[in-house]
Amino acid sequence: MSRADLAAVDTAAARPNPLWSLGLLRSELVTTFRRWRTLALLGVLAAVPVLVGIAVRIETRGDGQVGRGGGEGPAFVAQVTNNGLFLVFTALAATLPFFLPMAVGVVAGDAIAGEADAGTLRYLLVAPAGRTRLLLGKYATTMAFCLVATLVVAASALAVGALLFPLGDLTTISGTRISFADGLGRALLIALVVAASLAGVAALGLFVSTLTNSGIAAMATTVGLLITVQILDQIPQLHALQPYFFSHYWLSFADLMRDPVYWDDLVKNLELQALYTAVFGSAAWARFTTRDITA
């Protein structure tokens, strides 16, 4: 169902129903993932593991250990040369602090403001879903992008890791050995956790998007807030506030590579994302449902 089809629905004859909502969601997904900007963002994310893998390969000494600087950088980087699967964990750790949330901020910030900027928001609201369903559709689409973007990074890293490094049984952070199949399952679980960790950024971006008619302004504001929070999370004097920043527990996904898994920070991260989603999702709904739509 295209946007033209949605706009052509007669509000007097049609009533909101689950099938229409699915059509709206499908339309939003198709529109979002067909944009050149979205494809470019996914391309950049896919390129990060390639660059990381090549850099580690170049820095690998003849004894299979990472050379100068190997003790620094994202988590798991020292283990990549022994098992290419660790490139998945390294790539996610490298992209999560900035690249992934920036991409999500661009998509979320453009969700409502971009439609207003293009003059299509009023036509979308002609369809019988109402503002609440449209907002939910936008958020669901943004979360779908979170999942796809994370899986793109993981898949690219797995392919590069298999090409440049050996695969097989791997050693967890706790020092125990697990099978490659178990490691692959944990890699998929980590990717899902990383995608869920972006829920707070998605809700924040959607709220910002309801405040302006400029897509560029909404995207820039969301990314700016993201950078600001990341900086504040590194200032020691703010340690009392940092556990409440949406980015504070992002890297807790590394605990899934412990045996047994350490769940405390993982649960705190998911609870924090749920809190941000509830707060900024409610703020976005309150703003959007009372907003005077002129574009």
Side-chain angles (χ1 to χ4, degrees):
M1 183 181 292
S2 66
R3 294 185 182 278
D5 294 330
L6 292 175
V9 176
D10 184 359
T11 56
R15 298 174 60 187
N17 59 73
L19 292 179
W20 193 96
S21 298
L22 289 176
L24 171 65
L25 179 58
R26 183 177 63 182
S27 173
E28 290 296 331
L29 289 171
V30 170
T31 300
T32 298
F33 285 99
R34 278 184 176 177
R35 287 179 178 146
W36 284 107
R37 179 178 62 232
T38 303
L39 297 177
L41 289 172
L42 293 176
V44 170
L45 291 172
V48 173
V50 178
L51 297 177
V52 173
I54 292 175
V56 173
R57 183 66 177 177
I58 292 175
E59 288 296 315
T60 301
R61 301 196 303 260
D63 58 0
Q65 299 299 317
V66 178
R68 183 182 54 187
E72 302 175 356
F76 310 114
V77 70
Q79 292 93 335
V80 171
T81 56
N82 298 321
N83 196 313
L85 186 58
F86 276 104
L87 186 59
V88 176
F89 313 135
T90 302
L92 289 173
T95 55
L96 184 55
F98 182 71
F99 292 104
L100 274 171
M102 182 196 69
V104 173
V106 169
V107 173
D110 190 58
I112 300 297
E115 300 285 4
D117 197 15
T120 57
L121 185 56
R122 286 185 301 174
Y123 297 104
L124 284 175
L125 293 177
V126 169
R131 301 189 183 195
T132 299
R133 291 196 182 190
L134 178 60
L135 193 66
L136 288 174
K138 292 289 187 181
Y139 185 71
T141 301
T142 304
M143 287 306 301
F145 176 81
C146 294
L147 179 59
V148 170
T150 304
L151 292 177
V152 163
V153 173
S156 175
L158 182 60
V160 175
L163 182 64
L164 298 180
F165 308 102
L167 296 177
D169 294 351
L170 60 158
T171 305
T172 66
I173 296 176
S174 304
T176 59
R177 296 285 290 180
I178 60 175
S179 67
F180 177 75
D182 190 2
L184 199 59
R186 295 197 189 203
L188 177 59
L189 183 57
I190 284 174
L192 295 177
V193 169
V194 170
S197 298
L198 299 170
V201 174
L204 174 62
L206 192 64
F207 169 62
V208 173
S209 189
T210 64
L211 300 178
T212 177
N213 288 337
S214 172
I216 295 178
M219 289 185 285
T221 300
T222 303
V223 174
L225 289 172
L226 167 67
I227 295 174
T228 300
V229 170
Q230 294 276 49
I231 293 174
L232 294 177
D233 201 22
Q234 301 301 318
I235 299 177
Q237 291 79 1
L238 298 178
H239 67 277
L241 297 176
Q242 288 167 352
Y244 301 99
F245 294 155
F246 56 75
S247 62
H248 187 70
Y249 295 105
W250 273 353
L251 296 182
S252 63
F253 72 79
D255 290 334
L256 287 169
M257 283 303 296
R258 300 184 187 276
D259 191 17
V261 174
Y262 181 69
W263 291 103
D264 287 7
D265 286 349
L266 284 165
V267 172
K268 289 178 182 178
N269 176 42
L270 296 178
E271 289 176 345
L272 193 61
Q273 301 309 317
L275 176 62
Y276 271 86
T277 299
V279 171
F280 286 104
S282 299
W285 175 82
R287 167 62 179 166
F288 189 55
T289 54
T290 58
R291 175 178 168 181
D292 183 20
I293 304 298
T294 59

